[in-house]
Amino acid sequence: MIKKIHFFAVLLAACAFMAFPAFSISKSESEALLQLAEDNSAFYETDFSGNYTVVQEKPGEGKNVTEAILYRRDKTGKWTILITGPAKEKGKGYLQYDDNIWFFDPADRRFTFTSAKDKFQNTNANNSDFTPQHYARDYSIVSAQEVKLGNMECVLFELDAKVENVTYPKLKIWVTKDDGLVRKKEDYSLSGQKLRTTAVPSYQIVKANGKSYSVPVSMLIQDNLRGKKIGDKVQYEKTQITIKNVSFEKVSDTVYTKPYLEMMSSK
């Protein structure tokens, strides 16, 4: 009887240990770093704009290139994407305001409702990839471990969503300890299936308004659900997003409106 009690006591203790988050840094340090990673993805004091080149590569089918201009006003949760190329896609656009996202197609001059979870121009990027990332606000930390990513000292976070309106319910993110920048991200389903992997190899530092802002030079997204077997190996679809001509100058309020997209589509 004593042996049985001892066994169950050990088992309960093991389960209790597994139920608590695992941290190799203090809980307060991990929470502060995760908040910094979120803050680095947003620009609440200023407007933001940049030229985006989105290159999708489908195995065996070649590449598709989309050119666009992104405008963001994070303070009010507004953003506009204007497609500038190729010619057959030019004039299409996306607009978010009042927590709604609209897609404009100049072919029929209609706005249709879309969402943050939807694919951008049928690539492997989601509409949410172009907006601030709310890691600390929308997710709980399951674990935070100090790891190496290449030659970078990072903290690997495992995150579970604590709200419903997120693009992915589970995340793993690698955040550099010295500057709080996300260098790698893995998106998971609720069941734990890996859906996408995103790498951010480098950032550009842009000084404006007396501050320094960190903006990715490029992001490479691999879709772990969309692929094709070529030879003996499965090759997955990939989308690379490159960001240039970054500006933090204020833009006109009209840029964040439906009439702006309608006007620009006719040029």
Side-chain angles (χ1 to χ4, degrees), residues 142-187:
V142 176
S143 67
Q145 302 290 329
E146 293 180 291
V147 298
K148 275 259 195 179
L149 183 65
N151 61 355
M152 293 181 288
E153 298 286 345
C154 293
V155 172
L156 167 58
F157 289 93
E158 292 189 35
L159 306 175
D160 280 355
K162 55 186 177 183
V163 297
E164 292 184 1
N165 58 332
V166 293
T167 306
Y168 297 102
K170 293 177 178 290
L171 302 178
K172 288 183 181 180
I173 59 173
W174 285 252
V175 181
T176 41
K177 291 174 60 179
D178 58 343
D179 52 16
L181 297 175
V182 175
R183 298 292 184 161
K184 181 181 177 182
K185 181 166 73 81
E186 293 179 350
D187 307 311

mmCIF file of all heavy atoms in Angstrom, residues 142-187:
data_model
loop_
_atom_site.group_PDB
_atom_site.id
_atom_site.type_symbol
_atom_site.label_atom_id
_atom_site.label_comp_id
_atom_site.label_asym_id
_atom_site.label_seq_id
_atom_site.Cartn_x
_atom_site.Cartn_y
_atom_site.Cartn_z
ATOM 1 N N VAL A 142 3.229 29.562 -22.941
ATOM 2 C CA VAL A 142 3.271 28.184 -22.466
ATOM 3 C C VAL A 142 4.672 27.865 -21.953
ATOM 4 O O VAL A 142 4.852 27.245 -20.910
ATOM 5 C CB VAL A 142 2.873 27.200 -23.581
ATOM 6 C CG1 VAL A 142 3.017 25.752 -23.121
ATOM 7 C CG2 VAL A 142 1.447 27.481 -24.046
ATOM 8 N N SER A 143 5.677 28.309 -22.706
ATOM 9 C CA SER A 143 7.071 28.118 -22.290
ATOM 10 C C SER A 143 7.939 29.191 -22.920
ATOM 11 O O SER A 143 7.569 29.792 -23.941
ATOM 12 C CB SER A 143 7.580 26.721 -22.672
ATOM 13 O OG SER A 143 7.660 26.599 -24.087
ATOM 14 N N ALA A 144 9.101 29.421 -22.311
ATOM 15 C CA ALA A 144 10.074 30.387 -22.826
ATOM 16 C C ALA A 144 11.458 29.846 -22.512
ATOM 17 O O ALA A 144 11.837 29.750 -21.340
ATOM 18 C CB ALA A 144 9.873 31.757 -22.187
ATOM 19 N N GLN A 145 12.194 29.464 -23.563
ATOM 20 C CA GLN A 145 13.487 28.816 -23.386
ATOM 21 C C GLN A 145 14.571 29.569 -24.144
ATOM 22 O O GLN A 145 14.371 29.971 -25.294
ATOM 23 C CB GLN A 145 13.424 27.375 -23.895
ATOM 24 C CG GLN A 145 12.377 26.499 -23.227
ATOM 25 C CD GLN A 145 12.712 26.182 -21.792
ATOM 26 O OE1 GLN A 145 13.876 26.088 -21.422
ATOM 27 N NE2 GLN A 145 11.696 26.010 -20.967
ATOM 28 N N GLU A 146 15.711 29.753 -23.527
ATOM 29 C CA GLU A 146 16.856 30.365 -24.196
ATOM 30 C C GLU A 146 17.452 29.368 -25.175
ATOM 31 O O GLU A 146 17.766 28.230 -24.809
ATOM 32 C CB GLU A 146 17.902 30.796 -23.173
ATOM 33 C CG GLU A 146 17.429 31.927 -22.273
ATOM 34 C CD GLU A 146 18.473 32.333 -21.264
ATOM 35 O OE1 GLU A 146 18.737 31.530 -20.357
ATOM 36 O OE2 GLU A 146 19.013 33.444 -21.394
ATOM 37 N N VAL A 147 17.585 29.785 -26.440
ATOM 38 C CA VAL A 147 18.099 28.903 -27.483
ATOM 39 C C VAL A 147 18.994 29.699 -28.422
ATOM 40 O O VAL A 147 19.023 30.932 -28.386
ATOM 41 C CB VAL A 147 16.952 28.263 -28.312
ATOM 42 C CG1 VAL A 147 16.068 27.389 -27.443
ATOM 43 C CG2 VAL A 147 16.128 29.348 -29.009
ATOM 44 N N LYS A 148 19.699 28.983 -29.262
ATOM 45 C CA LYS A 148 20.490 29.586 -30.334
ATOM 46 C C LYS A 148 19.752 29.370 -31.642
ATOM 47 O O LYS A 148 19.286 28.269 -31.938
ATOM 48 C CB LYS A 148 21.872 28.929 -30.402
ATOM 49 C CG LYS A 148 22.894 29.529 -29.459
ATOM 50 C CD LYS A 148 23.807 30.449 -30.231
ATOM 51 C CE LYS A 148 25.065 30.787 -29.439
ATOM 52 N NZ LYS A 148 25.940 31.686 -30.244
ATOM 53 N N LEU A 149 19.657 30.425 -32.448
ATOM 54 C CA LEU A 149 19.136 30.328 -33.803
ATOM 55 C C LEU A 149 20.256 30.807 -34.714
ATOM 56 O O LEU A 149 20.476 32.008 -34.865
ATOM 57 C CB LEU A 149 17.884 31.180 -33.968
ATOM 58 C CG LEU A 149 17.195 31.109 -35.337
ATOM 59 C CD1 LEU A 149 16.653 29.711 -35.602
ATOM 60 C CD2 LEU A 149 16.072 32.137 -35.435
ATOM 61 N N GLY A 150 20.970 29.859 -35.307
ATOM 62 C CA GLY A 150 22.191 30.234 -36.003
ATOM 63 C C GLY A 150 23.177 30.760 -34.979
ATOM 64 O O GLY A 150 23.493 30.092 -34.001
ATOM 65 N N ASN A 151 23.640 31.991 -35.184
ATOM 66 C CA ASN A 151 24.555 32.608 -34.216
ATOM 67 C C ASN A 151 23.854 33.634 -33.338
ATOM 68 O O ASN A 151 24.505 34.408 -32.637
ATOM 69 C CB ASN A 151 25.742 33.256 -34.948
ATOM 70 C CG ASN A 151 25.287 34.363 -35.898
ATOM 71 O OD1 ASN A 151 24.094 34.582 -36.069
ATOM 72 N ND2 ASN A 151 26.240 35.041 -36.516
ATOM 73 N N MET A 152 22.521 33.640 -33.352
ATOM 74 C CA MET A 152 21.762 34.615 -32.574
ATOM 75 C C MET A 152 21.255 34.013 -31.277
ATOM 76 O O MET A 152 20.734 32.891 -31.260
ATOM 77 C CB MET A 152 20.577 35.152 -33.404
ATOM 78 C CG MET A 152 20.981 35.975 -34.605
ATOM 79 S SD MET A 152 19.561 36.615 -35.543
ATOM 80 C CE MET A 152 18.964 35.113 -36.315
ATOM 81 N N GLU A 153 21.417 34.772 -30.192
ATOM 82 C CA GLU A 153 20.883 34.376 -28.897
ATOM 83 C C GLU A 153 19.403 34.746 -28.858
ATOM 84 O O GLU A 153 19.049 35.922 -28.960
ATOM 85 C CB GLU A 153 21.632 35.076 -27.767
ATOM 86 C CG GLU A 153 23.112 34.755 -27.692
ATOM 87 C CD GLU A 153 23.362 33.362 -27.138
ATOM 88 O OE1 GLU A 153 22.429 32.771 -26.558
ATOM 89 O OE2 GLU A 153 24.499 32.868 -27.282
ATOM 90 N N CYS A 154 18.554 33.741 -28.735
ATOM 91 C CA CYS A 154 17.113 33.970 -28.795
ATOM 92 C C CYS A 154 16.402 33.353 -27.597
ATOM 93 O O CYS A 154 16.965 32.546 -26.864
ATOM 94 C CB CYS A 154 16.523 33.354 -30.069
ATOM 95 S SG CYS A 154 17.053 34.127 -31.609
ATOM 96 N N VAL A 155 15.156 33.757 -27.443
ATOM 97 C CA VAL A 155 14.235 33.060 -26.554
ATOM 98 C C VAL A 155 13.152 32.462 -27.439
ATOM 99 O O VAL A 155 12.550 33.152 -28.263
ATOM 100 C CB VAL A 155 13.611 34.008 -25.511
ATOM 101 C CG1 VAL A 155 12.504 33.299 -24.723
ATOM 102 C CG2 VAL A 155 14.686 34.535 -24.562
ATOM 103 N N LEU A 156 12.948 31.149 -27.295
ATOM 104 C CA LEU A 156 11.914 30.451 -28.033
ATOM 105 C C LEU A 156 10.645 30.419 -27.181
ATOM 106 O O LEU A 156 10.627 29.819 -26.108
ATOM 107 C CB LEU A 156 12.368 29.031 -28.369
ATOM 108 C CG LEU A 156 11.294 28.052 -28.875
ATOM 109 C CD1 LEU A 156 10.609 28.581 -30.123
ATOM 110 C CD2 LEU A 156 11.902 26.676 -29.123
ATOM 111 N N PHE A 157 9.610 31.089 -27.672
ATOM 112 C CA PHE A 157 8.327 31.130 -26.983
ATOM 113 C C PHE A 157 7.370 30.123 -27.616
ATOM 114 O O PHE A 157 7.274 30.043 -28.844
ATOM 115 C CB PHE A 157 7.683 32.520 -27.099
ATOM 116 C CG PHE A 157 8.350 33.595 -26.295
ATOM 117 C CD1 PHE A 157 9.329 34.391 -26.872
ATOM 118 C CD2 PHE A 157 7.991 33.829 -24.976
ATOM 119 C CE1 PHE A 157 9.940 35.400 -26.146
ATOM 120 C CE2 PHE A 157 8.588 34.829 -24.243
ATOM 121 C CZ PHE A 157 9.573 35.628 -24.821
ATOM 122 N N GLU A 158 6.661 29.387 -26.790
ATOM 123 C CA GLU A 158 5.490 28.633 -27.234
ATOM 124 C C GLU A 158 4.271 29.367 -26.692
ATOM 125 O O GLU A 158 4.177 29.630 -25.488
ATOM 126 C CB GLU A 158 5.535 27.201 -26.714
ATOM 127 C CG GLU A 158 6.642 26.360 -27.336
ATOM 128 C CD GLU A 158 6.516 24.897 -26.969
ATOM 129 O OE1 GLU A 158 5.370 24.412 -26.847
ATOM 130 O OE2 GLU A 158 7.558 24.239 -26.804
ATOM 131 N N LEU A 159 3.344 29.711 -27.598
ATOM 132 C CA LEU A 159 2.215 30.559 -27.231
ATOM 133 C C LEU A 159 0.897 29.885 -27.585
ATOM 134 O O LEU A 159 0.767 29.263 -28.635
ATOM 135 C CB LEU A 159 2.300 31.905 -27.968
ATOM 136 C CG LEU A 159 3.604 32.699 -27.827
ATOM 137 C CD1 LEU A 159 3.551 33.934 -28.727
ATOM 138 C CD2 LEU A 159 3.847 33.102 -26.389
ATOM 139 N N ASP A 160 -0.070 30.030 -26.702
ATOM 140 C CA ASP A 160 -1.438 29.574 -26.954
ATOM 141 C C ASP A 160 -2.366 30.782 -26.938
ATOM 142 O O ASP A 160 -2.252 31.650 -26.053
ATOM 143 C CB ASP A 160 -1.906 28.579 -25.877
ATOM 144 C CG ASP A 160 -1.383 27.173 -26.118
ATOM 145 O OD1 ASP A 160 -0.739 26.953 -27.168
ATOM 146 O OD2 ASP A 160 -1.601 26.306 -25.257
ATOM 147 N N ALA A 161 -3.275 30.839 -27.906
ATOM 148 C CA ALA A 161 -4.194 31.973 -27.990
ATOM 149 C C ALA A 161 -5.112 32.001 -26.766
ATOM 150 O O ALA A 161 -5.596 30.961 -26.312
ATOM 151 C CB ALA A 161 -5.018 31.888 -29.262
ATOM 152 N N LYS A 162 -5.353 33.209 -26.267
ATOM 153 C CA LYS A 162 -6.306 33.383 -25.163
ATOM 154 C C LYS A 162 -7.555 34.130 -25.620
ATOM 155 O O LYS A 162 -8.433 34.426 -24.821
ATOM 156 C CB LYS A 162 -5.649 34.104 -23.991
ATOM 157 C CG LYS A 162 -5.018 35.450 -24.311
ATOM 158 C CD LYS A 162 -4.274 35.984 -23.097
ATOM 159 C CE LYS A 162 -3.575 37.298 -23.421
ATOM 160 N NZ LYS A 162 -2.777 37.794 -22.266
ATOM 161 N N VAL A 163 -7.620 34.433 -26.926
ATOM 162 C CA VAL A 163 -8.808 35.024 -27.535
ATOM 163 C C VAL A 163 -9.127 34.233 -28.795
ATOM 164 O O VAL A 163 -8.308 33.463 -29.295
ATOM 165 C CB VAL A 163 -8.597 36.519 -27.880
ATOM 166 C CG1 VAL A 163 -8.357 37.340 -26.618
ATOM 167 C CG2 VAL A 163 -7.433 36.697 -28.850
ATOM 168 N N GLU A 164 -10.318 34.419 -29.335
ATOM 169 C CA GLU A 164 -10.753 33.625 -30.483
ATOM 170 C C GLU A 164 -10.348 34.211 -31.830
ATOM 171 O O GLU A 164 -10.093 33.474 -32.778
ATOM 172 C CB GLU A 164 -12.273 33.446 -30.437
ATOM 173 C CG GLU A 164 -12.754 32.576 -29.277
ATOM 174 C CD GLU A 164 -14.243 32.331 -29.321
ATOM 175 O OE1 GLU A 164 -14.891 32.823 -30.274
ATOM 176 O OE2 GLU A 164 -14.768 31.657 -28.429
ATOM 177 N N ASN A 165 -10.312 35.523 -31.942
ATOM 178 C CA ASN A 165 -10.108 36.145 -33.257
ATOM 179 C C ASN A 165 -8.621 36.292 -33.589
ATOM 180 O O ASN A 165 -8.111 37.393 -33.789
ATOM 181 C CB ASN A 165 -10.808 37.505 -33.320
ATOM 182 C CG ASN A 165 -10.309 38.457 -32.246
ATOM 183 O OD1 ASN A 165 -9.866 38.035 -31.181
ATOM 184 N ND2 ASN A 165 -10.374 39.748 -32.524
ATOM 185 N N VAL A 166 -7.923 35.154 -33.645
ATOM 186 C CA VAL A 166 -6.518 35.146 -34.060
ATOM 187 C C VAL A 166 -6.400 34.316 -35.331
ATOM 188 O O VAL A 166 -7.246 33.471 -35.621
ATOM 189 C CB VAL A 166 -5.602 34.562 -32.960
ATOM 190 C CG1 VAL A 166 -5.565 35.472 -31.744
ATOM 191 C CG2 VAL A 166 -6.032 33.152 -32.570
ATOM 192 N N THR A 167 -5.343 34.562 -36.090
ATOM 193 C CA THR A 167 -5.149 33.811 -37.329
ATOM 194 C C THR A 167 -4.767 32.364 -37.040
ATOM 195 O O THR A 167 -5.227 31.443 -37.715
ATOM 196 C CB THR A 167 -4.065 34.488 -38.189
ATOM 197 O OG1 THR A 167 -4.412 35.860 -38.387
ATOM 198 C CG2 THR A 167 -3.950 33.824 -39.554
ATOM 199 N N TYR A 168 -3.921 32.167 -36.017
ATOM 200 C CA TYR A 168 -3.490 30.817 -35.640
ATOM 201 C C TYR A 168 -3.600 30.651 -34.126
ATOM 202 O O TYR A 168 -3.178 31.537 -33.375
ATOM 203 C CB TYR A 168 -2.050 30.564 -36.090
ATOM 204 C CG TYR A 168 -1.884 30.621 -37.596
ATOM 205 C CD1 TYR A 168 -1.348 31.752 -38.209
ATOM 206 C CD2 TYR A 168 -2.290 29.566 -38.394
ATOM 207 C CE1 TYR A 168 -1.215 31.813 -39.585
ATOM 208 C CE2 TYR A 168 -2.160 29.616 -39.776
ATOM 209 C CZ TYR A 168 -1.632 30.747 -40.367
ATOM 210 O OH TYR A 168 -1.513 30.806 -41.728
ATOM 211 N N PRO A 169 -4.118 29.507 -33.658
ATOM 212 C CA PRO A 169 -4.322 29.324 -32.215
ATOM 213 C C PRO A 169 -3.054 29.012 -31.427
ATOM 214 O O PRO A 169 -3.027 29.166 -30.209
ATOM 215 C CB PRO A 169 -5.311 28.152 -32.154
ATOM 216 C CG PRO A 169 -5.081 27.392 -33.405
ATOM 217 C CD PRO A 169 -4.723 28.420 -34.446
ATOM 218 N N LYS A 170 -2.011 28.542 -32.114
ATOM 219 C CA LYS A 170 -0.755 28.220 -31.438
ATOM 220 C C LYS A 170 0.411 28.754 -32.256
ATOM 221 O O LYS A 170 0.408 28.666 -33.493
ATOM 222 C CB LYS A 170 -0.596 26.699 -31.267
ATOM 223 C CG LYS A 170 -1.589 26.047 -30.303
ATOM 224 C CD LYS A 170 -1.400 24.539 -30.263
ATOM 225 C CE LYS A 170 -2.348 23.871 -29.285
ATOM 226 N NZ LYS A 170 -2.002 24.182 -27.877
ATOM 227 N N LEU A 171 1.410 29.286 -31.566
ATOM 228 C CA LEU A 171 2.594 29.825 -32.229
ATOM 229 C C LEU A 171 3.864 29.382 -31.514
ATOM 230 O O LEU A 171 3.861 29.137 -30.305
ATOM 231 C CB LEU A 171 2.583 31.363 -32.224
ATOM 232 C CG LEU A 171 1.438 32.130 -32.859
ATOM 233 C CD1 LEU A 171 1.667 33.627 -32.656
ATOM 234 C CD2 LEU A 171 1.314 31.811 -34.334
ATOM 235 N N LYS A 172 4.934 29.298 -32.284
ATOM 236 C CA LYS A 172 6.282 29.290 -31.734
ATOM 237 C C LYS A 172 7.015 30.459 -32.376
ATOM 238 O O LYS A 172 6.980 30.612 -33.603
ATOM 239 C CB LYS A 172 7.016 27.978 -32.061
ATOM 240 C CG LYS A 172 6.530 26.774 -31.291
ATOM 241 C CD LYS A 172 7.379 25.549 -31.630
ATOM 242 C CE LYS A 172 6.894 24.302 -30.889
ATOM 243 N NZ LYS A 172 7.735 23.114 -31.222
ATOM 244 N N ILE A 173 7.648 31.281 -31.564
ATOM 245 C CA ILE A 173 8.408 32.406 -32.118
ATOM 246 C C ILE A 173 9.785 32.465 -31.468
ATOM 247 O O ILE A 173 9.925 32.226 -30.270
ATOM 248 C CB ILE A 173 7.681 33.762 -31.960
ATOM 249 C CG1 ILE A 173 7.408 34.079 -30.494
ATOM 250 C CG2 ILE A 173 6.398 33.783 -32.763
ATOM 251 C CD1 ILE A 173 6.856 35.486 -30.289
ATOM 252 N N TRP A 174 10.786 32.751 -32.291
ATOM 253 C CA TRP A 174 12.153 32.922 -31.837
ATOM 254 C C TRP A 174 12.436 34.416 -31.798
ATOM 255 O O TRP A 174 12.416 35.094 -32.843
ATOM 256 C CB TRP A 174 13.127 32.236 -32.789
ATOM 257 C CG TRP A 174 13.178 30.741 -32.697
ATOM 258 C CD1 TRP A 174 14.195 29.989 -32.172
ATOM 259 C CD2 TRP A 174 12.207 29.789 -33.180
ATOM 260 N NE1 TRP A 174 13.913 28.648 -32.284
ATOM 261 C CE2 TRP A 174 12.697 28.484 -32.895
ATOM 262 C CE3 TRP A 174 10.956 29.910 -33.808
ATOM 263 C CZ2 TRP A 174 11.996 27.328 -33.219
ATOM 264 C CZ3 TRP A 174 10.260 28.758 -34.128
ATOM 265 C CH2 TRP A 174 10.769 27.485 -33.842
ATOM 266 N N VAL A 175 12.714 34.961 -30.617
ATOM 267 C CA VAL A 175 12.887 36.396 -30.426
ATOM 268 C C VAL A 175 14.313 36.660 -29.927
ATOM 269 O O VAL A 175 14.744 36.061 -28.929
ATOM 270 C CB VAL A 175 11.876 36.952 -29.406
ATOM 271 C CG1 VAL A 175 12.059 38.458 -29.231
ATOM 272 C CG2 VAL A 175 10.449 36.632 -29.843
ATOM 273 N N THR A 176 15.049 37.526 -30.610
ATOM 274 C CA THR A 176 16.409 37.844 -30.177
ATOM 275 C C THR A 176 16.377 38.575 -28.843
ATOM 276 O O THR A 176 15.582 39.486 -28.632
ATOM 277 C CB THR A 176 17.135 38.698 -31.230
ATOM 278 O OG1 THR A 176 16.237 39.677 -31.768
ATOM 279 C CG2 THR A 176 17.645 37.840 -32.373
ATOM 280 N N LYS A 177 17.255 38.140 -27.940
ATOM 281 C CA LYS A 177 17.245 38.643 -26.566
ATOM 282 C C LYS A 177 17.666 40.107 -26.472
ATOM 283 O O LYS A 177 17.181 40.854 -25.623
ATOM 284 C CB LYS A 177 18.176 37.800 -25.692
ATOM 285 C CG LYS A 177 17.694 36.390 -25.432
ATOM 286 C CD LYS A 177 18.735 35.569 -24.691
ATOM 287 C CE LYS A 177 19.072 36.181 -23.341
ATOM 288 N NZ LYS A 177 20.063 35.361 -22.605
ATOM 289 N N ASP A 178 18.573 40.534 -27.370
ATOM 290 C CA ASP A 178 19.129 41.882 -27.221
ATOM 291 C C ASP A 178 18.207 42.978 -27.744
ATOM 292 O O ASP A 178 18.222 44.106 -27.233
ATOM 293 C CB ASP A 178 20.491 41.976 -27.918
ATOM 294 C CG ASP A 178 20.422 41.623 -29.394
ATOM 295 O OD1 ASP A 178 19.417 40.992 -29.813
ATOM 296 O OD2 ASP A 178 21.365 41.966 -30.131
ATOM 297 N N ASP A 179 17.359 42.676 -28.756
ATOM 298 C CA ASP A 179 16.550 43.746 -29.347
ATOM 299 C C ASP A 179 15.065 43.409 -29.483
ATOM 300 O O ASP A 179 14.283 44.220 -29.968
ATOM 301 C CB ASP A 179 17.119 44.151 -30.711
ATOM 302 C CG ASP A 179 17.322 42.960 -31.652
ATOM 303 O OD1 ASP A 179 16.755 41.886 -31.366
ATOM 304 O OD2 ASP A 179 18.046 43.110 -32.649
ATOM 305 N N GLY A 180 14.665 42.198 -29.104
ATOM 306 C CA GLY A 180 13.246 41.858 -29.124
ATOM 307 C C GLY A 180 12.650 41.747 -30.512
ATOM 308 O O GLY A 180 11.474 42.083 -30.716
ATOM 309 N N LEU A 181 13.419 41.251 -31.476
ATOM 310 C CA LEU A 181 12.933 41.110 -32.845
ATOM 311 C C LEU A 181 12.638 39.641 -33.151
ATOM 312 O O LEU A 181 13.434 38.756 -32.816
ATOM 313 C CB LEU A 181 13.955 41.646 -33.847
ATOM 314 C CG LEU A 181 14.269 43.146 -33.746
ATOM 315 C CD1 LEU A 181 15.390 43.509 -34.709
ATOM 316 C CD2 LEU A 181 13.030 43.984 -34.020
ATOM 317 N N VAL A 182 11.513 39.389 -33.794
ATOM 318 C CA VAL A 182 11.147 38.026 -34.175
ATOM 319 C C VAL A 182 11.959 37.621 -35.401
ATOM 320 O O VAL A 182 11.939 38.293 -36.431
ATOM 321 C CB VAL A 182 9.636 37.921 -34.476
ATOM 322 C CG1 VAL A 182 9.291 36.526 -35.003
ATOM 323 C CG2 VAL A 182 8.825 38.231 -33.221
ATOM 324 N N ARG A 183 12.679 36.501 -35.265
ATOM 325 C CA ARG A 183 13.524 36.019 -36.356
ATOM 326 C C ARG A 183 12.938 34.797 -37.055
ATOM 327 O O ARG A 183 13.284 34.501 -38.196
ATOM 328 C CB ARG A 183 14.914 35.671 -35.811
ATOM 329 C CG ARG A 183 15.645 36.856 -35.227
ATOM 330 C CD ARG A 183 16.019 37.852 -36.290
ATOM 331 N NE ARG A 183 16.814 38.963 -35.775
ATOM 332 C CZ ARG A 183 17.567 39.760 -36.529
ATOM 333 N NH1 ARG A 183 17.615 39.568 -37.836
ATOM 334 N NH2 ARG A 183 18.228 40.746 -35.994
ATOM 335 N N LYS A 184 12.076 34.084 -36.350
ATOM 336 C CA LYS A 184 11.444 32.904 -36.923
ATOM 337 C C LYS A 184 10.102 32.706 -36.235
ATOM 338 O O LYS A 184 9.948 33.011 -35.054
ATOM 339 C CB LYS A 184 12.326 31.661 -36.731
ATOM 340 C CG LYS A 184 11.771 30.373 -37.328
ATOM 341 C CD LYS A 184 12.719 29.211 -37.067
ATOM 342 C CE LYS A 184 12.152 27.898 -37.580
ATOM 343 N NZ LYS A 184 13.047 26.742 -37.287
ATOM 344 N N LYS A 185 9.136 32.207 -37.008
ATOM 345 C CA LYS A 185 7.809 31.959 -36.444
ATOM 346 C C LYS A 185 7.224 30.706 -37.083
ATOM 347 O O LYS A 185 7.342 30.503 -38.283
ATOM 348 C CB LYS A 185 6.884 33.165 -36.713
ATOM 349 C CG LYS A 185 5.478 32.996 -36.146
ATOM 350 C CD LYS A 185 4.743 34.339 -36.142
ATOM 351 C CE LYS A 185 4.324 34.768 -37.529
ATOM 352 N NZ LYS A 185 3.075 34.085 -37.954
ATOM 353 N N GLU A 186 6.611 29.873 -36.253
ATOM 354 C CA GLU A 186 5.895 28.703 -36.734
ATOM 355 C C GLU A 186 4.443 28.804 -36.293
ATOM 356 O O GLU A 186 4.162 29.089 -35.117
ATOM 357 C CB GLU A 186 6.517 27.409 -36.195
ATOM 358 C CG GLU A 186 7.906 27.135 -36.750
ATOM 359 C CD GLU A 186 8.540 25.868 -36.192
ATOM 360 O OE1 GLU A 186 7.986 25.302 -35.225
ATOM 361 O OE2 GLU A 186 9.587 25.459 -36.729
ATOM 362 N N ASP A 187 3.534 28.592 -37.236
ATOM 363 C CA ASP A 187 2.099 28.689 -36.967
ATOM 364 C C ASP A 187 1.518 27.280 -36.891
ATOM 365 O O ASP A 187 1.793 26.444 -37.760
ATOM 366 C CB ASP A 187 1.388 29.475 -38.076
ATOM 367 C CG ASP A 187 2.030 30.830 -38.313
ATOM 368 O OD1 ASP A 187 2.264 31.552 -37.330
ATOM 369 O OD2 ASP A 187 2.296 31.159 -39.486
#
